Amino acid sequence: MGTDSLGTDALGTGPATGRRGTVLLVNPNTNAKTTEMMTELATAELTPQGLDVVGLTAAAGPAMIIDPGSLAESAAHVRTAVLDYLAGQTGGDVVAVIVAAIGDPGREQLSKELAIPVVGIGQASIHAASRSNRSFGMATSTPLLAGSLAKLVATHGKSEWFAGVRLTPSEPLVLAADPEQQYQELAAAVRESSETDGAGAVIIAGGPLSATARRLAESSRAEIIQPVPSACGLVLEILG
């Protein structure tokens, strides 16, 4: 079942029936600490709504997806992780899947295969940022993925309102090792997107950037779109 139309067919568990369901959050990066961070964020959003969250980490691939090649390759690892879990004893409890990389690797294919919603954090961020056809931009630390991000925006029909991608000067792996520098450089990118590009909302484009996105949301004048909470919001919207 595709999720772009926000349909809710074929759901037998979760909030609609009063039973607790499970949302799978799949990290296409192989960094388990990143999975734990994003799972905690999703749990804070979904547990009060009667949903449990299970975090899965891709079994193969890079610790951080930073280029189109690794993004494309990770789709198969995402699919394997999800299907293996669904085939297990508790697979029947799953009511939705979140693909927690900004490029949404594997989301489209899984959405066609499964009878439950499959939401990508990139998809959900674009959905949230472009509400009421407002202008929006992205701030990220992965320059090699800028083209992929623009393509994702086009896939969801929002290029007309896209103000573009603003990048940090430092490489992503450098910033991953220095949270404070990551925060400062992303904050500068957010200001450029908002003040120079005229973005009404700015997506912090990257699952591993989730902790910094939360910090920016608390301190920035611009409206910050956080990928993982956005995906949780879209899941709840779809489940109705």
Side-chain angles (χ1 to χ4, degrees):
M1 181 184 79
T3 60
D4 292 329
S5 63
L6 303 186
T8 59
D9 297 331
L11 296 177
T13 59
T17 62
R19 293 165 53 190
R20 289 191 74 86
T22 297
V23 175
L24 291 185
L25 181 145
V26 190
N27 178 17
N29 303 281
T30 57
N31 189 324
K33 289 185 178 179
T34 300
T35 306
E36 182 179 356
M37 172 186 64
M38 294 191 293
T39 301
E40 288 178 355
L41 288 173
T43 297
E45 300 286 331
L46 296 176
T47 295
Q49 305 301 321
L51 294 169
D52 297 319
V53 181
V54 172
L56 303 177
T57 305
M64 186 175 183
I65 296 171
I66 61 174
D67 60 73
S70 57
L71 178 65
E73 291 171 8
S74 67
H77 304 308
V78 168
R79 182 176 181 273
T80 297
V82 171
L83 296 185
D84 284 353
Y85 189 93
L86 293 179
Q89 291 184 347
T90 57
D93 296 334
V94 177
V95 297
V97 176
I98 293 174
V99 178
I102 201 69
D104 299 344
R107 185 204 71 82
E108 187 173 358
Q109 180 62 34
L110 281 170
S111 184
K112 293 175 181 177
E113 293 182 71
L114 302 179
I116 55 175
V118 182
V119 169
I121 63 171
Q123 169 201 18
S125 296
I126 293 167
H127 179 73
S130 63
R131 288 188 188 277
S132 302
N133 293 335
R134 67 179 167 184
S135 175
F136 69 96
M138 294 186 184
T140 190
S141 63
T142 50
L144 297 179
L145 288 177
S148 299
L149 296 175
K151 184 177 179 180
L152 186 66
V153 172
T155 296
H156 292 290
K158 301 298 182 180
S159 296
E160 181 179 353
W161 299 280
F162 186 44
V165 179
R166 285 289 179 171
L167 300 166
T168 59
S170 299
E171 295 294 322
L173 297 180
V174 171
L175 296 184
D178 190 338
E180 183 57 32
Q181 184 179 355
Q182 182 183 92
Y183 168 75
Q184 294 296 340
E185 292 193 16
L186 281 171
V190 166
R191 286 194 297 272
E192 290 174 347
S193 182
S194 176
E195 297 173 8
T196 303
D197 302 334
V202 183
I203 298 167
I204 306 302
L209 306 177
S210 293
T212 296
R214 179 171 56 180
R215 185 178 174 190
L216 285 166
E218 296 171 348
S219 61
S220 177
R221 292 183 180 180
E223 181 171 351
I224 300 298
I225 304 299
Q226 302 179 64
V228 172
S230 294
C232 294
L234 185 53
V235 165
L236 294 172
E237 186 176 334
I238 292 169
L239 295 180

